[in-house]
Amino acid sequence: MASAPAQADFKTRLQNLIPKLVLAPSLAVIFLFVYGFIIFTGYLSFTDSRILPSFNLVGFENYSKLFRLSHWTTSITNLAIFASLYIGISTLIGLSLATFLDQKIRGEGLLRPIYLYPMALSFIVTGTAWKWLLDPGIGLEHTMHLWGWTSFHFDWIKNSDYAIYTVVIAAVWQSSGFVMAMFLAGLRGIDNEILKAAQMDGAGNWQMYRRIILPQLRPAFLSAFVILSHLAVKSYDLVIALTGGGPGRATELPATFMYSYTFTRNQMGIGASSAVIMLMTIAAIMVPYLYAELREKK
Amino acid sequence: MSVATQDTALRTGRVARTLIYLFLLLMALFYLLPFGIMVINSLKPLSEITGGNMMSLPQEWTLDAWRAAWSTAQIGVEPTGMRPYFWNSIKMVVPAVAISTVLGALNGYVLTKWRFRGDTILFGLMLFSCFIPFQIVLIPMARVLGLMGLAGTTSGLILVHVVYGIGFSTLYFRNYYAVFPTELVRAAMMDGAGFFRIFWRILMPSSGPITVVCIIWQFTNIWNDFLFGASFADFDSQPITVALNNLVNSSTGVKEYNVHFAGAIYAALPTLLVYIVAGRYFVRGLMSGSVKG
């Protein structure tokens, strides 16, 4: 008789345990393969690892070496140029497309998917298409010459001063439609009564746009910035497919730097320290954002 | 005046409207051209590409480049075409998407309907894992895959993609289940239904849309991955993105542009098809991956 409540008790305890047991494998995997690995790479960045991991600590030597390497300073300068243009232009194009699409446009249903489809493509495909299009010998420049515009000159992809901008062009092509979708969702969420009221009060178009519409898009601006900046820091595939980091080192980014130092130049310690810097850059953007997003929900 | 509309249309004149349409059409051209020209040129013989204008239609339509890219083009050292790599990608994507989606659904269920102290922090830690630059895990991952005997295998890639996909799949289901009426779950609990029974009978039947969103997102991401494929795979497991990169960059001698283009289209086709068939869900996935709540 006494065993019935005990059994029920056992059952409730089991019931309470099941959810945690279900969550456990995912958490274990995340802690090991994400946070464990971050700690491991972080540790390696303080060692003299070359072709194989070594556990011989050398303090901040890799970091001081890293920032003395012109290869690295080129990479971060390129990232700064690439990221600011990529984020800026994508936001500008995305916002304009969304604003104009929201003007009762005929054929919106057809245009929207056209703007967005590059997002479904791999960066390797995007790189392949643009690499050829930008190739002066066969792509756009060649075509313009055939059409009789013989003074047309567009060889940025072969020019080490301008090659980084071709990466911007291809990357903007790939993701500006996505930014458009985010802004469009934001615009569709704006209460129309406010706009009507402002119109009644005689507000002009520009004034309405600046004073009422843009401020309401703040969350969309923030999301676009966060998403684009983390994509920019992680950019690897596109550079590999479009320029291979070249000409020379003109389009090297931290991601390609890390890969070549770790796996082809056998400087694992330096490679690890560059990965740590990349992680910290992204964490500086993502952690406050995620913190704010998750807190609001309570 | 009082008719409520969905858009933020401003009062615009005729000229302004014409300019708006012009801008929108030009932008449409900008997005269509690179891929469109690639498709058209993949249908030309090579001589028409190197000797002709990329903007003109083929004088001689041919599927030779498509056939070569699929089964005979030189990729790396072997003249195998894209075919084996296409199957490598399929063999990698299907299990990786299935496993990460199931785990994401269960995690989302626990995190919203069986809440416990600290669950938000744990979720935050899971979520952050989707945004890390994967360079930070490349070195230890290569070691661990080697130790597990999974280096260079499809199983190894599946593991990698499941691990780094859980964050997003959990995010989708968590946000979706967060607005699912908890009273229904409570009532079922009162009736003595257990953890899995509630999940299976109450949440699953209404999880269709979010499952589609999650599958599409994971499929697109994993299919398009290059970094992990390039780092951890060998011939028997290299995904199609790696093969495409090798095809375009390794060809010695004459660059067979038309074959490269056909190869790129093979690599793009599955995700494009998904986009065309289920674009609505694709957009929803993009949005809930960024604008939470």
Side-chain angles (χ1 to χ4, degrees):
Chain A
M1 275 290 117
S3 74
Q7 215 172 14
D9 193 42
F10 174 73
K11 232 185 130 181
T12 5
R13 273 177 49 199
L14 189 70
Q15 277 296 344
N16 287 335
L17 211 59
I18 287 179
K20 282 165 192 149
L21 283 177
V22 166
L23 197 61
S26 301
L27 284 177
V29 158
I30 297 263
F31 277 111
L32 175 67
F33 286 87
V34 178
Y35 296 98
F37 282 9
I38 288 176
I39 292 169
F40 186 83
T41 306
Y43 184 84
L44 283 185
S45 74
F46 293 108
T47 66
D48 59 359
S49 305
R50 307 281 294 217
I51 186 163
L52 289 172
S54 132
F55 296 98
N56 199 9
L57 287 169
V58 292
F60 281 90
E61 206 180 297
N62 288 322
Y63 290 92
S64 61
K65 265 192 207 153
L66 180 67
F67 280 93
R68 269 181 282 137
L69 282 171
S70 68
H71 195 154
W72 172 252
T73 41
T74 310
S75 303
I76 48 176
T77 315
N78 280 339
L79 178 62
I81 298 173
F82 170 71
S84 46
L85 287 174
Y86 169 61
I87 297 171
I89 299 174
S90 295
T91 307
L92 193 71
I93 292 183
L95 182 62
S96 332
L97 286 176
T99 309
F100 291 142
L101 265 188
D102 208 28
Q103 307 297 325
K104 298 199 180 88
I105 292 301
R106 240 177 289 166
E108 188 207 317
L110 191 70
L111 288 170
R112 224 170 348 126
I114 290 177
Y115 298 152
L116 201 59
Y117 87 93
M119 200 65 196
L121 302 178
S122 145
F123 273 118
I124 304 292
V125 173
T126 302
T128 306
W130 279 96
K131 181 187 191 154
W132 164 71
L133 208 63
L134 295 168
D135 188 322
I138 191 157
L140 205 59
E141 184 178 303
H142 180 68
T143 304
M144 290 302 174
H145 290 179
L146 285 179
W147 280 348
W149 186 359
T150 45
S151 60
F152 183 86
H153 205 56
F154 191 60
D155 64 348
W156 286 8
I157 200 164
K158 304 262 180 208
N159 182 326
S160 46
D161 290 334
Y162 290 98
I164 190 72
Y165 302 109
T166 62
V167 184
V168 175
I169 295 175
V172 165
W173 180 79
Q174 173 114 358
S175 20
S176 46
F178 168 44
V179 183
M180 180 272 311
M182 287 205 277
F183 279 121
L184 199 57
L187 285 171
R188 299 269 147 100
I190 292 178
D191 184 3
N192 268 72
E193 293 308 310
I194 305 176
L195 295 183
K196 293 269 145 62
Q199 229 159 22
M200 296 284 213
D201 288 347
N205 277 350
W206 173 240
Q207 222 182 353
M208 256 188 14
Y209 192 72
R210 225 181 47 132
R211 292 277 172 77
I212 300 170
I213 298 179
L214 277 187
Q216 298 234 33
L217 288 178
R218 256 192 58 164
F221 271 105
L222 184 66
S223 306
F225 173 78
V226 168
I227 297 295
L228 292 173
S229 53
H230 105 90
L231 284 178
V233 177
K234 286 162 88 167
S235 286
Y236 174 76
D237 317 8
L238 183 60
V239 174
I240 294 296
L242 190 67
T243 62
R249 287 174 190 165
T251 51
E252 289 280 0
L253 290 178
T256 58
F257 173 95
M258 186 275 165
Y259 201 92
S260 67
Y261 265 72
T262 308
F263 297 110
T264 51
R265 290 165 183 251
N266 302 324
Q267 298 273 5
M268 194 176 278
I270 292 180
S273 60
S274 68
V276 169
I277 305 252
M278 289 175 67
L279 177 73
M280 293 200 308
T281 314
I282 287 188
I285 300 164
M286 290 312 300
V287 170
Y289 179 72
L290 291 181
Y291 182 75
E293 288 280 337
L294 292 177
R295 238 172 73 113
E296 269 168 31
K297 294 207 127 167
K298 284 194 175 163
Chain B
M1 274 302 273
S2 63
V3 180
T5 50
Q6 272 272 297
D7 41 43
T8 52
L10 305 167
R11 277 177 296 200
T12 39
R14 235 215 197 120
V15 182
R17 281 198 84 73
T18 315
L19 286 176
I20 288 174
Y21 273 100
L22 199 67
F23 174 78
L24 290 175
L25 286 176
L26 278 177
M27 287 310 287
L29 216 57
F30 167 68
Y31 290 107
L32 280 177
L33 272 185
F35 197 75
I37 297 177
M38 199 161 77
V39 173
I40 288 170
N41 282 275
S42 73
L43 297 166
K44 288 178 187 173
L46 186 60
S47 60
E48 268 190 56
I49 298 179
T50 46
N53 187 335
M54 66 172 182
M55 296 296 233
S56 55
L57 289 175
Q59 282 157 350
E60 184 198 333
W61 297 77
T62 167
L63 279 173
D64 283 351
W66 285 62
R67 272 189 286 269
W70 183 245
S71 52
T72 61
Q74 176 104 3
I75 292 173
V77 284
E78 302 277 347
T80 55
M82 302 284 272
R83 184 171 43 191
Y85 303 96
F86 191 90
W87 295 120
N88 286 347
S89 272
I90 299 267
K91 278 184 278 182
M92 166 186 85
V93 164
V94 173
V97 169
I99 297 170
S100 60
T101 303
V102 169
L103 286 176
L106 286 170
N107 293 343
Y109 169 49
V110 171
L111 288 171
T112 52
K113 301 302 170 211
W114 299 81
R115 302 197 56 174
F116 53 90
R117 273 170 67 97
D119 59 354
T120 311
I121 296 173
L122 287 178
F123 173 62
L125 287 171
M126 292 178 97
L127 196 53
F128 181 67
S129 74
C130 332
F131 296 102
I132 58 166
F134 293 120
Q135 280 73 17
I136 196 86
V137 298
L138 285 184
I139 302 169
M141 186 54 111
R143 302 282 292 175
V144 168
L145 287 178
L147 288 174
M148 292 170 82
L150 294 175
T153 65
T154 300
S155 313
L157 284 180
I158 294 172
L159 174 73
V160 174
H161 285 300
V162 167
V163 169
Y164 301 108
I166 292 178
F168 263 120
S169 59
T170 302
L171 164 74
Y172 287 138
F173 284 98
R174 179 185 180 270
N175 286 357
Y176 190 77
Y177 290 153
V179 291
F180 186 90
T182 306
E183 297 77 51
L184 285 179
V185 178
R186 289 259 164 72
M189 263 149 104
M190 294 291 197
D191 291 346
F195 177 86
F196 288 106
R197 206 178 150 79
I198 295 174
F199 180 66
W200 193 250
R201 302 293 290 274
I202 297 178
L203 281 113
M204 269 313 269
S206 63
S207 302
I210 199 65
T211 309
V212 175
V213 165
C214 182
I215 288 176
I216 289 178
W217 174 265
Q218 298 290 46
F219 176 80
T220 310
N221 262 357
I222 299 173
W223 184 274
N224 287 342
D225 162 72
F226 175 75
L227 183 63
F228 289 140
S231 308
F232 304 133
D234 59 22
F235 173 77
D236 293 324
S237 55
Q238 264 171 1
I240 195 159
T241 46
V242 176
L244 173 62
N245 191 51
N246 288 342
L247 170 72
V248 174
N249 288 316
S250 75
S251 42
T252 44
V254 186
K255 274 199 185 300
E256 295 184 286
Y257 291 104
N258 50 355
V259 177
H260 300 176
F261 300 153
I265 294 164
Y266 285 126
L269 217 51
T271 51
L272 266 187
L273 274 181
V274 166
Y275 176 68
I276 291 165
V277 172
R280 213 156 40 90
Y281 291 101
F282 180 83
V283 178
R284 253 180 72 178
L286 280 179
M287 306 307 285
S288 41
S290 52
V291 191
K292 280 165 282 299

